[in-house]
Amino acid sequence: TFFLIKFGNFVFPIHKILFFDSINLLYQMKFGTKVIHAGIQPDPDTGAIMTPIYQTSTYVQEGLGRHKGFEYARTQNPTRLVLEKNLAALENGVDAICFGSGLAAQDAVLKLLNPGDEVISTNDLYGGSYRQMVRVYAKFGIVFHFVDMQNPQNIADKLNDKTRMLWIETPTNPMLSIVDIKACTDIVKGRNVTTVVDNTFASPYLQNPISMGADIVLHSATKYLGGHSDVIHGALIVDSNELAEKLHFIQNACGAVPGPQDCFLVLRGIKTLHVRVQRACENAARIADYLLAHPKVSKVYYPGFSNHPNHEVAKKQMRMFGAMISFDLLDDSEAAAKRVLEGTHYFSLAESLGGVESLIGHPASMTHASIPREERMKVGLTDSLIRLSVGIEDVEDLIQDLDQALGKV
Ligand SMILES: *Cc1c(COP(=O)(O)O)cnc(C)c1O
């Protein structure tokens, strides 16, 4: 039941369960099949259809230097390995590396850089990603430029011979801007620049950046991949063995690994990813139309509208338009927003996104409170802006809920 397998630079004898995933990948599975089968096999010892949670810190060796490909659980864990193989298949990558959170995954990517290196990043970035860049990594001599990537020319303007990384996030949070991934990666092609796409908001069901020229895809699996608001987890998917090797090394050397139980939860969440995201997107489309027609709503940010500035790009690179919506009230006071935010029953007032349940949030005071008001206002992030993460409840109930909450304004 053991086979030889290449893991970075090393060749290991490895258990059947891990060997079969490479056979799995030979099939040209479609997305809805991949989520359930890619990298996953019944447990060869018992037939258990669910991947076991290998809750162990170490592995007994048969003799000196003779083991089954697993030595110590910071370095390798079978539950984590199955999840990594599955994620690699979902994002059309060659390998994946899982972490204890999305920001731990980002931390590993930034450790690829050296002092003096420059990063060009999207300006409308997830707040925690921005904080890690400017408050942690800038002091190690890494230089960050934040540009509006809706116009890829802004990347070309900052590009120089110290540029080593391009950091893209699309759709952006909370303004739901769309960045043309292919156009941006094309600009740095042929240069020594690693392109990273934070694909958390889209999920692999909607968008696969590696197929558009990205080298690394980042996910906060806490969101759509996990999908049930019950786990914090992050992942990187890479397009080359060289990058995989470097990132596996950083992961093992720095230690931000996820526990096997959390890997199991993400694996279980992924099995319904396509069904959940599809329904959430359908619900969001209905809700966006409803909000647009509402007399108390002044503006709705949603990439599915034909007059969204980058609607054509969204159509080209995404399967559907996502399940995130932001909107502004005609009464642009925080007090008005508060009535809606505290007035819903099914939309829960909370940070985060991507779960089966709908959430409502106030970016100005919650996720984006660390950004100065003046900066926020420049991009349209007003005091009355409300963000929705649309879940998979019955859409009629969700619309009725928003209707009664907006009635309180
Ligand atoms: C939540 C989030 C992160 C950070 O992920 P954690 O799992 O919370 O560490 C990074 N990027 C985006 C777009 C996110 O929404």
Side-chain angles (χ1 to χ4, degrees):
T1 58
F2 293 92
F3 300 87
L4 292 177
I5 196 164
K6 204 162 168 276
F7 191 85
N9 265 345
F10 308 98
V11 174
F12 289 117
I14 207 148
H15 201 277
K16 193 160 91 175
I17 193 173
L18 303 174
F19 177 76
F20 274 109
D21 89 86
S22 49
I23 292 177
N24 238 338
L25 294 176
L26 292 178
Y27 296 114
Q28 290 296 311
M29 285 184 262
K30 295 201 167 41
F31 195 87
T33 310
K34 278 186 192 173
V35 292
I36 293 162
H37 293 291
I40 301 168
Q41 286 296 325
D43 174 37
D45 295 329
T46 63
I49 194 158
M50 291 303 290
T51 306
I53 301 168
Y54 287 90
Q55 193 76 54
T56 188
S57 63
T58 192
Y59 310 87
V60 177
Q61 309 195 5
E62 285 155 38
L64 268 186
R66 279 195 294 126
H67 55 76
K68 299 174 179 175
F70 300 93
E71 299 153 276
Y72 184 63
R74 177 171 14 80
T75 321
Q76 315 102 344
N77 178 281
T79 316
R80 192 171 93 210
L81 193 52
V82 170
L83 173 59
E84 289 173 344
K85 297 300 169 196
N86 183 254
L87 284 168
L90 297 190
E91 284 287 14
N92 306 327
V94 302
D95 201 0
I97 307 99
C98 289
F99 293 86
S101 71
L103 286 182
Q106 169 173 323
D107 178 69
V109 174
L110 295 180
K111 281 173 177 150
L112 293 169
L113 298 166
N114 293 308
D117 287 353
E118 296 194 6
V119 180
I120 303 175
S121 177
T122 318
N123 61 349
D124 186 16
L125 195 65
Y126 173 72
S129 303
Y130 176 81
R131 181 177 56 200
Q132 186 180 106
M133 288 176 184
V134 303
R135 305 265 312 265
V136 180
Y137 278 93
K139 72 169 186 260
F140 293 117
I142 307 212
V143 178
F144 295 92
H145 303 285
F146 298 94
V147 305
D148 180 358
M149 291 192 183
Q150 289 177 93
N151 177 5
Q153 181 58 37
N154 292 333
I155 297 172
D157 292 347
K158 287 282 182 226
L159 205 58
N160 63 57
D161 58 10
K162 291 186 186 144
T163 310
R164 285 290 163 271
M165 195 170 276
L166 191 63
W167 194 283
I168 300 169
E169 187 181 316
T170 182
T172 68
N173 174 26
M175 304 315 297
L176 284 315
S177 306
I178 300 291
V179 174
D180 187 332
I181 298 172
K182 174 90 172 36
C184 293
T185 57
D186 275 353
I187 288 176
V188 299
K189 215 185 220 143
R191 306 176 79 116
N192 184 14
V193 174
T194 304
T195 53
V196 188
V197 177
D198 184 335
N199 205 26
T200 301
F201 262 48
S203 92
Y205 177 62
L206 298 184
Q207 173 174 288
N208 297 123
I210 285 177
S211 307
M212 298 175 232
D215 300 311
I216 302 177
V217 173
L218 181 146
H219 279 287
S220 168
T222 312
K223 318 293 169 55
Y224 288 102
L225 290 173
H228 295 74
S229 309
D230 54 8
V231 65
I232 296 283
H233 187 106
L236 302 173
I237 300 95
V238 293
D239 75 335
S240 77
N241 287 318
E242 191 194 341
L243 268 173
E245 205 176 301
K246 285 181 185 168
L247 290 163
H248 277 297
F249 172 81
I250 290 170
Q251 184 198 49
N252 187 43
C254 300
V257 295
Q261 167 95 25
D262 289 352
C263 293
F264 174 87
L265 285 172
V266 175
L267 262 173
R268 188 173 73 161
I270 286 174
K271 289 179 201 291
T272 54
L273 178 68
H274 55 313
V275 182
R276 284 186 287 105
V277 175
Q278 184 186 347
R279 173 62 68 85
C281 290
E282 287 166 5
N283 284 356
R286 290 271 306 275
I287 289 171
D289 284 341
Y290 159 80
L291 289 170
L292 192 64
H294 198 285
K296 287 176 183 170
V297 173
S298 66
K299 203 157 180 2
V300 183
Y301 299 89
Y302 172 64
F305 289 149
S306 58
N307 65 351
H308 180 284
N310 271 337
H311 175 69
E312 288 308 316
V313 177
K315 240 164 91 174
K316 179 184 73 170
Q317 71 187 17
M318 299 173 76
R319 193 196 290 254
M320 295 173 86
F321 298 107
M324 300 299 295
I325 302 170
S326 292
F327 65 100
D328 224 329
L329 300 173
L330 219 50
D331 174 350
D332 64 358
S333 67
E334 188 171 326
K338 193 168 143 88
R339 266 180 227 120
V340 179
L341 288 156
E342 294 179 352
T344 51
H345 302 307
Y346 299 130
F347 283 88
S348 302
L349 178 61
E351 296 197 8
S352 200
L353 61 124
V356 290
E357 60 287 287
S358 294
L359 301 181
I360 190 165
H362 184 234
S365 71
M366 295 166 81
T367 46
H368 291 65
S370 59
I371 300 172
R373 184 166 186 275
E374 199 176 304
E375 291 295 311
R376 282 197 277 110
M377 297 303 256
K378 269 192 225 158
V379 294
L381 206 169
T382 61
D383 294 331
S384 60
L385 191 80
I386 294 171
R387 190 189 84 173
L388 302 178
S389 168
V390 178
I392 64 171
E393 300 96 333
D394 264 296
V395 70
E396 286 80 10
D397 288 336
L398 295 178
I399 289 175
Q400 196 179 50
D401 190 24
L402 289 170
D403 207 51
Q404 60 82 25
L406 282 163
K408 294 174 182 166
V409 177

